[in-house]
Amino acid sequence: MNKFIHLSRFVRYLFDRTDMADKATRVVEGILKARSPRLSDIAREMSGSEAASYKQIQRFLKQVDPREILLRLFQSEAPFVIGDPTEMPRPHAKATEYVGTLSDGQTSGYWLMFLATPYQGRAIPCHFVSYSSRTINAEGTSRNQYHFEAFEKIKSLLGDKPLVLDREFSYLELLENLVLEEINFVIRLKETAYLYDHEGQRVSLSINKGETRILNKVFYKGQVFVNVIGLWQEGFAKPIWIMTNLKAEDALAVYRQRMKIEECFRDMKNLLGLEKLMNKCRDHMEKMVALLLIAYVIGLWLGETLRTAMFPEHSLKHKLYSGLFVFLKLRPPPNFIQCSLFALASFSSLIFNVRSFV
């Protein structure tokens, strides 16, 4: 059975122009079949000769910018937006224009910072930025500016939704910017964070196992007003500390939801070969990341419908298998066509109406 039978209908919800949607379908199908974002791997899975298909992909990348299309995957009903950076090691690509040095100070690579909304224990990416030590130096900017750029892109869509961020984002300049832009935030704190009370005395982040501690109206680094909550759960080696401009208890509930979300990066790396991605040009690299994300979301969406149809909700396989794994790895069930059409109908309700001119 052809599990890609309705793929073009999914892609057409994302692209305004039919001709671009048809070309995008061929590439997205190639990504899913090859389980790789490398152009040569994709071309081998496309109909026709590999050489001709390779050139078709290159022409398509010059004609279209799929990065703008990702905003259509923003879920307006989602309770929060996740920001998550991931390192992309490239030890053999030191001469590539956008490859710098990663946090260990030795490994060559770059960063991808994704923004995503939660969906059934996973994440639906809707935007990303790339940066490295080399691009930062060349552009005379900073990592922080790339983060601001990403948040600015979705600011109009956020409304009251908080940005939920990990410890990499607990720096003063970001907090000041979020407060200035009136963006709600829930950020995990480093245990060494500097917090002060109204009298200028440093507040200690101390807590006993099994306890919850709330610190309302404290100042992060003496500059930004925040509420802080700490939790040390039984069975965990360390407590977690969260700072927010919301009610502390609500922020902890949001972050605990975030902790339960199985990161999409594992599936993108293990099942779609994100780590294989290598383009000489940064622009082409980012376009291929966007196409990979589109392929991931469609595969996940179809797979989650199949997972529900194939396995009882509380079964071990339902818990162990992600939707993308089900779609790519398992044999389609006899009712695959009906499942695919059901997934298509729900996918259409996901698409956020953002003009992409693509």
Side-chain angles (χ1 to χ4, degrees):
M1 182 181 295
N2 179 13
K3 63 175 69 176
F4 302 99
I5 187 169
H6 293 132
L7 185 64
S8 63
R9 296 175 67 177
F10 282 86
V11 176
R12 284 173 187 168
Y13 278 117
L14 297 170
F15 288 77
D16 295 322
R17 290 174 49 183
T18 302
D19 58 335
M20 290 295 106
D22 291 342
K23 293 176 182 178
T25 298
R26 286 170 50 80
V27 179
V28 169
E29 183 173 338
I31 291 172
L32 291 170
K33 286 181 175 179
R35 300 175 196 169
S36 169
R38 298 185 67 170
L39 269 60
S40 56
D41 295 338
I42 299 168
R44 277 194 291 272
E45 297 295 337
M46 294 169 63
S47 59
S49 73
E50 181 180 338
S53 296
Y54 192 96
K55 291 179 180 179
Q56 286 177 21
I57 300 171
Q58 289 181 315
R59 286 196 296 270
F60 176 70
L61 293 176
K62 291 179 180 179
Q63 294 172 329
V64 70
D65 190 347
R67 290 169 290 197
E68 293 298 320
I69 289 168
L70 287 177
L71 288 175
R72 291 191 169 184
L73 298 174
F74 180 88
Q75 296 178 87
S76 57
E77 300 303 317
F80 54 86
V81 175
I82 303 162
D84 214 330
T86 187
E87 289 187 335
M88 298 288 289
R90 287 296 176 269
H92 305 297
K94 295 180 180 180
T96 304
E97 63 175 15
Y98 57 87
V99 171
T101 305
L102 297 179
S103 4
D104 64 6
Q106 297 180 341
T107 307
S108 296
Y110 60 96
W111 288 82
L112 291 173
M113 204 277 278
F114 295 92
L115 295 177
T117 50
Y119 169 73
Q120 294 192 7
R122 279 141 181 105
I124 300 293
C126 57
H127 187 54
F128 73 94
V129 292
S130 72
Y131 56 91
S132 70
S133 59
R134 179 173 291 182
T135 62
I136 287 171
N137 291 334
E139 296 170 8
T141 182
S142 69
R143 173 202 62 173
N144 305 357
Q145 290 301 318
Y146 286 108
H147 293 169
F148 299 158
E149 175 191 330
F151 301 148
E152 181 65 28
K153 193 72 175 180
I154 65 163
K155 179 189 170 185
S156 62
L157 307 179
L158 273 173
D160 293 331
K161 296 179 181 62
L163 275 173
V164 184
L165 307 169
D166 220 333
R167 284 170 290 201
E168 297 95 331
F169 297 92
S170 60
Y171 56 89
L172 181 60
E173 188 181 358
L174 173 63
L175 282 185
E176 290 174 331
N177 189 269
L178 293 177
V179 170
L180 181 65
E181 297 293 337
E182 300 183 334
I183 295 174
N184 291 329
F185 58 87
V186 174
I187 304 177
R188 185 169 179 178
L189 267 174
K190 297 178 181 177
E191 291 181 61
T192 56
Y194 285 82
L195 297 169
Y196 297 88
D197 61 20
H198 285 277
E199 296 178 353
Q201 299 297 311
R202 187 173 179 186
V203 179
S204 171
L205 293 181
S206 59
I207 190 172
N208 295 320
K209 188 170 289 188
E211 285 186 348
T212 299
R213 184 185 177 196
I214 295 175
L215 301 168
N216 284 321
K217 300 180 180 180
V218 294
F219 290 87
Y220 180 71
K221 293 191 175 180
Q223 300 293 322
V224 179
F225 166 82
V226 293
N227 295 320
V228 173
I229 186 166
L231 171 68
W232 194 345
Q233 289 180 282
E234 295 289 344
F236 284 76
K238 294 181 179 181
I240 61 168
W241 289 94
I242 309 298
M243 64 177 170
T244 183
N245 63 333
L246 305 175
K247 188 178 178 181
E249 296 92 330
D250 294 342
L252 178 61
V254 167
Y255 196 84
R256 293 181 79 172
Q257 290 183 62
R258 158 71 177 81
M259 290 175 68
K260 292 178 182 178
I261 289 175
E262 186 176 343
E263 299 299 341
C264 61
F265 304 119
R266 189 180 71 178
D267 274 354
M268 286 196 291
K269 289 179 179 179
N270 294 346
L271 296 176
L272 290 180
L274 175 63
E275 292 184 330
K276 296 180 182 178
L277 182 63
M278 191 68 247
N279 298 83
K280 292 181 179 180
C281 169
R282 182 184 179 191
D283 185 64
H284 280 189
M285 176 274 289
E286 290 190 347
K287 288 181 178 181
M288 288 307 302
V289 170
L291 288 169
L292 180 77
L293 294 177
I294 290 170
Y296 163 78
V297 171
I298 294 174
L300 172 68
W301 206 269
L302 277 163
E304 288 297 325
T305 304
L306 294 174
R307 186 170 68 124
T308 300
M310 293 168 69
F311 307 115
E313 183 178 354
H314 300 292
S315 68
L316 182 61
K317 288 184 177 179
H318 190 279
K319 293 178 181 178
L320 290 179
Y321 296 160
S322 69
L324 188 63
F325 179 90
V326 171
F327 178 70
L328 293 178
K329 295 275 193 175
L330 302 187
R331 180 177 296 179
N335 63 339
F336 174 79
I337 298 297
Q338 291 86 348
C339 288
S340 179
L341 291 172
F342 181 81
L344 182 65
S346 62
F347 185 76
S348 67
S349 65
L350 161 73
I351 305 305
F352 197 81
N353 188 23
V354 177
R355 285 294 291 178
S356 60
F357 302 101
V358 176

